[in-house]
Amino acid sequence: MATLGPEALVDRRQLGGAFGLREAARRMSNFRWAELEILELLGGWSEAMLYPAIRGGFGLQMFTQAVHCRELGWALANLKRAKQRLQAPSDAFVRLCEQIWLAESPLLRLVGLYRVLKPHLLQAELYHADLTDPVGDSFSIHVLQLCAADHQRDLTWGNAQIERLAASRASRAEALAWQEKLEADLAESGGVVAEGAPAWWLPYTDERANADDELVAARRELPGQGELRSQGYTYRKAPSESLLPNGVQPFPAPLRYAADVPGEPRHPDADAPASTPGGLRYAIHQLWLGENRTVDRCGRFITDFPDLPFGLKFDMAQQAWEEARHMEIDAHIIHLLGGSLGMYPFAARMPWRNTVGESNPFVRLLRGHVVFEGSAAAATNRWLAESEGWASSAIRQGLEHLSADERVHIAFGNDWTLRLIGDQPDRLQEAVDETIRQIEGNPGLREWPDRLRQRYLKRALRMT
Ligand SMILES: [Fe+2]
Ligand SMILES: [Fe+2]
């Protein structure tokens, strides 16, 4: 047997990489900015994406994007940079993202995200992971490889959705023209690290070769290019009014609201108890609409309050995934009970703006997370009790997963309210009063005004 020489026992990696600590941190905070930007695009778009299949994928990716932001923040702390630092690479790059945000057709949005922004970010992150210090900066490599694996999975998913939406030659041509325009703007912006495409092969700068290069000239003009900047051009992701006619979330057929089909006879399952297969199927079918809205509600929380702590955004992103999973669980339960989505009209046609347009984040937390999630948890537990003895174990496991997740969501609403305004009696009182004003008179939520007063106002009173 051959013996190993002493050289076989050494670490063959070399200490030192292509970037100093300061430059590595600048690039990593650019990546963190872009990852959060993608999280916000998904969160803000979800409500008007029309297709439930896309909303399902968005839910999962909101969570993985939030994980990328958290892990990049962790790596940035090790690079001597404030943990949650975000740094936009350039104003031109921010404007490119704004263009993508403003696209209204689902196809053009997906093209902007999965054919332009995400492939570019993936390539830049892998390039950084290849060139940074393999010993000293191995934690950044670890984080970037995690991001890259998710991006690759998302690109496969996004491109499949694009293929499905670009069904006609005309829509395919429109998508390609849009992609071409965005790619030109991306090149001019210098990209996510404001440096252009890393396609060089010479180990030095060849000024002669680059003298007439339009890209180089454009990059030179970028304000703050290559500097550490904490501010620059920003924009708010305001919801699109034109995509939600009358403020009501649109759906493709066969999904429909009862109010839109006035002549349709009431289905007997609507009056059946949940202890029967038909009654449970009807209840879960209505619940599916709530899951769908909640994915969007969590996404909009992230875009509507950009200044709230990252930890709160992270929890909203986690819930977005869980609600997207609930959409799938509900669809499976309906199928196991012999039905399909769209077999009933949705009873409620609550104007969308009423549920997500609230300007006080704590009213949103109390109403959406404590009250709505609390009633969903109670309903799920009731269905679990009523389905005992006749529903299959798959159905009951699905209900148990729903119930377990709702407890987590109630805690998000309760804990963040107390953490952020628990020691401010006036703000707590204001949020509770407004929440009660909004839910009072709703027969399904009769016990909640008292519960809210008990839980939060006694506390406010103790503090005054
Ligand atoms: Fe849910
Ligand atoms: Fe929930």
Side-chain angles (χ1 to χ4, degrees):
M1 197 173 89
T3 50
L4 294 175
E7 70 278 3
L9 302 174
V10 301
D11 182 356
R12 290 174 190 274
R13 299 170 305 164
Q14 302 243 322
L15 181 64
F19 318 110
L21 216 71
R22 193 178 159 86
E23 173 62 5
R26 181 187 77 85
R27 288 164 176 262
M28 291 287 277
S29 51
N30 287 168
F31 296 150
R32 189 168 190 276
W33 185 91
E35 297 282 1
L36 185 69
E37 179 68 11
I38 293 175
L39 167 58
E40 289 184 1
L41 290 176
L42 297 167
W45 275 343
S46 175
E47 66 175 348
M49 280 313 272
L50 191 61
Y51 303 103
I54 294 179
R55 183 168 290 106
F58 275 18
L60 163 63
Q61 290 172 42
M62 274 187 239
F63 178 68
T64 49
Q65 286 301 127
V67 170
H68 301 171
C69 294
R70 184 185 65 188
E71 299 301 297
L72 282 162
W74 168 79
L76 278 165
N78 277 8
L79 290 165
K80 288 195 188 165
R81 190 62 62 94
K83 193 169 181 289
Q84 306 300 2
R85 174 120 181 182
L86 290 173
Q87 183 143 8
S90 67
D91 288 354
F93 192 80
V94 181
R95 287 183 202 279
L96 168 76
C97 294
E98 185 179 21
Q99 267 194 80
I100 294 174
W101 158 257
L102 288 172
E104 296 213 327
S105 101
L107 173 60
L108 298 190
R109 288 172 165 184
L110 295 185
V111 166
L113 187 50
Y114 298 102
R115 294 235 163 121
V116 181
L117 205 51
K118 238 179 205 279
H120 171 73
L121 180 60
L122 167 66
Q123 172 244 65
E125 288 176 339
L126 287 177
Y127 178 77
H128 188 103
D130 274 350
L131 291 185
T132 198
D133 184 339
V135 181
D137 198 14
S138 54
F139 55 89
S140 292
I141 297 173
H142 175 79
V143 170
L144 291 169
Q145 284 172 345
L146 168 97
C147 297
D150 284 336
H151 291 320
Q152 263 153 348
R153 177 208 62 202
D154 299 345
L155 289 180
T156 309
W157 178 88
N159 276 294
Q161 297 296 337
I162 288 171
E163 290 304 322
R164 198 170 58 84
L165 292 182
S168 69
R169 279 182 179 263
S171 59
R172 190 171 282 273
E174 187 194 13
L176 283 173
W178 174 239
Q179 182 175 343
E180 188 184 9
K181 186 205 177 309
L182 293 178
E183 282 175 350
D185 290 345
L186 173 65
E188 278 174 23
S189 79
V192 69
V193 290
E195 196 178 64
W200 316 115
W201 65 279
L202 292 173
Y204 55 86
T205 313
D206 187 345
E207 288 295 340
R208 287 161 311 162
N210 291 332
D212 298 324
D213 191 321
E214 274 180 49
L215 170 59
V216 171
R219 278 171 41 211
R220 280 206 188 100
E221 285 165 21
L222 287 180
Q225 185 234 329
E227 297 168 14
L228 293 175
R229 292 186 310 123
S230 56
Q231 52 189 338
Y233 178 70
T234 52
Y235 70 100
R236 293 294 289 259
K237 292 182 179 66
S240 164
E241 293 299 330
S242 60
L243 290 179
L244 298 174
N246 310 319
V248 172
Q249 188 173 31
F251 280 117
L255 299 171
R256 65 208 182 280
Y257 295 99
D260 294 335
V261 278
E264 186 169 338
R266 188 173 166 81
H267 197 286
D269 287 347
D271 302 310
S275 54
T276 64
L280 182 61
R281 193 169 58 202
Y282 184 85
I284 299 286
H285 194 279
Q286 295 298 322
L287 179 70
W288 183 90
L289 179 65
E291 318 284 17
N292 198 83
R293 283 169 184 268
T294 312
V295 177
D296 304 340
R297 179 154 59 76
C298 294
R300 279 287 305 279
F301 207 105
I302 295 167
T303 51
D304 285 354
F305 306 109
D307 301 328
L308 286 177
F310 173 73
L312 172 49
K313 293 181 193 171
F314 186 91
D315 287 347
M316 291 298 117
Q318 176 182 325
Q319 186 176 341
W321 180 23
E322 280 154 11
E323 303 298 352
R325 213 162 60 224
H326 293 181
M327 287 167 60
E328 295 169 345
I329 293 175
D330 295 351
H332 275 270
I333 294 179
I334 293 166
H335 181 61
L336 288 169
L337 289 168
S340 59
L341 266 180
M343 66 185 295
Y344 313 112
F346 297 122
R349 191 174 179 269
M350 195 191 298
W352 187 238
R353 293 280 168 251
N354 287 4
T355 55
V356 298
E358 168 61 47
S359 60
N360 181 334
F362 304 105
V363 174
R364 283 204 205 178
L365 284 172
L366 291 177
R367 188 191 53 189
H369 297 262
V370 176
V371 176
F372 290 175
E373 297 288 328
S375 352
T380 316
N381 290 335
R382 214 167 43 238
W383 298 331
L384 260 173
E386 290 175 0
S387 63
E388 203 174 344
W390 63 266
S392 70
S393 64
I395 292 173
R396 292 183 54 76
Q397 281 175 25
L399 291 172
E400 277 174 21
H401 275 297
L402 296 180
S403 165
D405 289 347
E406 303 309 10
R407 293 167 66 93
V408 176
H409 303 162
I410 297 166
F412 288 161
N414 181 64
D415 298 355
W416 279 109
T417 302
L418 293 179
R419 204 176 301 172
L420 295 177
I421 58 167
D423 58 352
Q424 301 172 50
D426 292 348
R427 292 184 74 189
L428 196 55
Q429 170 106 40
E430 184 195 345
V432 171
D433 287 349
E434 177 57 21
T435 305
I436 290 174
R437 197 190 65 73
Q438 293 186 16
I439 62 171
E440 232 159 17
N442 184 328
L445 303 173
R446 227 175 276 126
E447 74 277 23
W448 280 98
D450 270 352
R451 278 198 198 169
L452 290 174
R453 283 188 199 103
Q454 287 276 337
R455 194 182 298 176
Y456 300 100
L457 294 188
K458 272 198 175 160
R459 184 188 170 90
L461 227 64
R462 273 202 307 275
M463 284 184 295
T464 46

